[in-house]
Amino acid sequence: MTSRSCLSIVLAAGLGTRMKSNLPKVMHEIGGLPLVGHVVKALKQAGSDRISVVTGPDMPELEKLVQNLAPEAHCHVQHERLGTAHAALAARSALASPSDDVLILFGDTPLVTADTIGKVRRALSDGADLAVLGFETQQPFGYGRLLTDNGQLVAIREEKDASDEERRITFCNSGIMGFSGQHALSLLDAIGNANAKSEFYLTDAVEIANSRGLKVVAVSGSEVETQGINTRAQLAACEEDFQVRMRNFALENGCTLLAPHTVYFSHDTVLESDVVVEQNVVFATGVRVASGARIRAFSHLEGASVGRNSAVGPYARLRPGAILGADTRVGNFVEVKNTTFEDGAKANHLSYIGDASVGSKSNIGAGTITCNYDGYLKHRTEIGAGSFVGSNSTLVAPVSLGSGTFVAAGSVITDDVDQDSMAFGRARQIVKEGKAKQLRERLKAAKETKS
């Protein structure tokens, strides 16, 4: 099958009015990736070498998104919304160039997997001229039923047109279809609109193909994978199914999740084996965690990399560009952004480290802040290996601390510090004997006067 060429057409022109959003429906996200992005990702994994996305008019933001997701993809505009077959024919220019397989999918079915798409392609490679993906459900109401006879799919019967016996069928249409390339355009062109809505429906291709003596089959898929999204409630339900999938994947691949239902993943989260994730952790996009690391409770990670045997949290925040080496520690209420921690470096509590590099085995004391922004530009702080930054220190960037430096607690550092030097940047302490007693007496008298 991998040697067969494949054109995939993704129907994504729907406005999603029931979402009550100005955003095109397929641009809403599951696991940090737009719905259409999940479909495109699965198609690429399934070996589709050509991808066409059908958008609606005045959807430049969707076209830009598609180009970012898959630069090789092409967008086609459906200027009038006259049904699913009409939408597929918006990609006529792509259909005119032959491919062995032609797949038609919907941009609002984000959980379909490459394996399931592969089943449809295998049916085509085994000789089917048209393959329809179906699913079994205990609640078939509202779905088109797949009617088969001796292995041949003879019709898709919509709920309103089905007989009582046909309504008892639980094998339903997902909407995903595969066509042999030599028949795809001809079958789509033959679909008419002689129906109550005067629209062109993809499902009619089944009976047209049968009338031509072509081989039409149904392929079985998962109800979870083929669920479509039309409302916010369905979006939320699909998100939960996606999270279940990601949690199970992590567990099956050697990770420990202490409370799986409280851990949230993005589509691209990578956890190596022997990672431990505690309760209420959120992995936003772009996170990779190496083997042996522990992500403690209530931490939030985005665009970050965590090295082997490192610990993050509890209550830590890793923002984009945070790169932690092996055996590092980022503790409670520490925020790290666009910063590299070399192996063995530590910031155990109550610090903000942004736009910086922290050398190996350095220790950042509680309350330390890198002042990286001057109101106009960001500046970097360089902390050399083996350095010690005392608690409640303020490092005003741009500034560099050489390796082995020692910054006294409470210091404000504005100038570079040489290797193995100690820096004090605070006022000298003054003690005035008896002054506290005098102050209390004065304040007490002032209060009594006012009362």
Side-chain angles (χ1 to χ4, degrees), residues 284-289 301-306 318-324 336:
T285 55
V287 176
R288 175 179 289 272
V289 182
L301 293 78
E302 179 181 7
S305 174
V306 179
L318 300 187
R319 292 171 58 193
I323 301 174
L324 310 186
V336 179

Side-chain angles (χ1 to χ4, degrees), residues 109-128:
T109 55
L111 297 190
V112 65
T113 63
D115 287 343
T116 295
I117 294 170
K119 289 182 181 180
V120 177
R121 294 197 65 193
R122 278 192 292 276
L124 297 173
S125 67
D126 290 342

Side-chain angles (χ1 to χ4, degrees), residues 218-270:
V219 177
S220 183
S222 157
E223 182 178 7
V224 169
E225 283 192 38
T226 55
Q227 63 184 298
I229 295 173
N230 292 299
T231 67
R232 301 278 185 166
Q234 290 172 341
L235 182 71
C238 192
E239 177 73 51
E240 183 55 34
D241 287 332
F242 171 80
Q243 293 301 331
V244 169
R245 175 188 291 180
M246 294 295 288
R247 292 163 189 157
N248 288 338
F249 181 83
L251 293 167
E252 291 166 2
N253 284 274
C255 296
T256 296
L257 309 182
L258 297 188
H261 63 286
T262 70
V263 178
Y264 287 83
F265 293 92
S266 287
H267 69 99
D268 58 354
T269 306
V270 177

Side-chain angles (χ1 to χ4, degrees), residues 437-451:
K437 181 180 179 181
Q438 296 172 19
L439 180 61
R440 283 194 300 270
E441 291 173 349
R442 181 167 60 83
L443 294 174
K444 181 180 178 183
K447 182 178 180 181
E448 290 173 347
T449 301
K450 287 185 178 182
S451 61

Side-chain angles (χ1 to χ4, degrees), residues 18 87 132 138 169-170 253 270-271 285 327 346 360 381 439 443:
R18 284 192 283 168
V132 177
Q138 297 304 308
I169 295 173
T170 57
N253 284 274
V270 177
L271 305 184
T285 55
D327 299 303
K346 300 176 181 178
S360 62
T381 298
L439 180 61
L443 294 174

